[in-house]
Amino acid sequence: RKKPDWQVLFSAAGMMLVAPFAFGNAIYEYFTQITEIDRITLIIITAIFLIAELTAIRGFLWHCRGQEKITMNSNSLKLEKMGSILDFPVTYKLEKIRNFSLAENKWLEKHFNRSGFNGGEIQFVYYGETIKFGQSLTMIEAKAIISKLNEKKETTNHLQTL
């Protein structure tokens, strides 16, 4: 389960409250002709506020109730982020995954990932790209899960070669 970062929670909540008022003000000005806003500008403003509002809602929900679910079967690994919006499961072919290991988290990486949507304590390489997950795990939990995942992967590989 994702541990809430209160600074991000308050920022997202503030954005969720401010964005509708700012958008409403832009619409009001358009219809009352206080300022000259053409249709293209209004569409751009609408798109910006919609994206900002969805991002704020997503961040707020993820920090309040976000969870990661890992499912491994004989030929794939599926990572799901649950508890937010616009998060879709990602499936990886097990044969293309190199061994699971502890993530190499750099300070700057952690600092700039305040939203908490990416990263984690466990990593694997998939087609040359490093994939990380397990954001709220302790080191002990991460090591135990890595051991189980590598063991299951080796068992699966062994059964497929027979």
Side-chain angles (χ1 to χ4, degrees):
R1 182 163 172 82
K2 178 76 177 139
K3 295 175 187 139
D5 181 337
W6 294 106
Q7 186 178 8
V8 174
L9 267 176
F10 286 125
S11 298
M15 183 65 177
M16 288 178 353
L17 294 173
V18 170
F21 288 113
F23 178 65
N25 187 41
I27 297 293
Y28 175 77
E29 286 184 13
Y30 175 74
F31 286 112
T32 59
Q33 299 299 323
I34 293 173
T35 61
E36 283 296 320
I37 300 177
D38 62 354
R39 287 193 193 320
I40 304 273
T41 306
L42 185 62
I43 290 170
I44 291 170
I45 290 171
T46 302
I48 290 170
F49 280 115
L50 181 63
I51 290 168
E53 191 67 16
L54 286 174
T55 302
I57 291 169
R58 181 178 181 226
F60 185 81
L61 289 173
W62 177 247
H63 279 276
C64 281
R65 49 185 219 162
Q67 295 181 13
E68 290 177 290
K69 180 180 176 185
I70 307 161
T71 309
M72 183 187 273
N73 61 29
S74 61
N75 56 6
S76 67
L77 172 77
K78 184 164 85 170
L79 300 177
E80 295 178 78
K81 292 187 179 214
M82 301 165 21
S84 187
I85 59 172
L86 302 175
D87 286 322
F88 304 101
V90 181
T91 303
Y92 302 95
K93 294 178 187 175
L94 208 53
E95 65 202 33
K96 300 296 180 183
I97 294 176
R98 285 203 223 147
N99 286 348
F100 299 92
S101 62
L102 285 173
E104 298 169 10
N105 290 318
K106 299 173 179 93
W107 179 83
L108 280 176
E109 201 174 281
K110 281 189 173 186
H111 179 72
F112 286 111
N113 188 25
R114 294 292 304 215
S115 65
F117 291 122
N118 300 316
E121 298 301 322
I122 301 173
Q123 72 180 20
F124 62 91
V125 177
Y126 187 76
Y127 285 108
E129 180 184 357
T130 302
I131 310 295
K132 296 181 182 181
F133 64 96
Q135 295 177 356
S136 61
L137 298 174
T138 65
M139 198 63 77
I140 294 169
E141 293 168 331
K143 286 179 181 179
I145 291 171
I146 288 168
S147 175
K148 287 180 184 177
L149 289 172
N150 281 328
E151 182 180 305
K152 188 166 183 178
K153 184 178 180 312
E154 289 302 317
T155 303
T156 303
N157 286 345
H158 180 68
L159 290 175
Q160 286 176 348
T161 58
L162 293 178

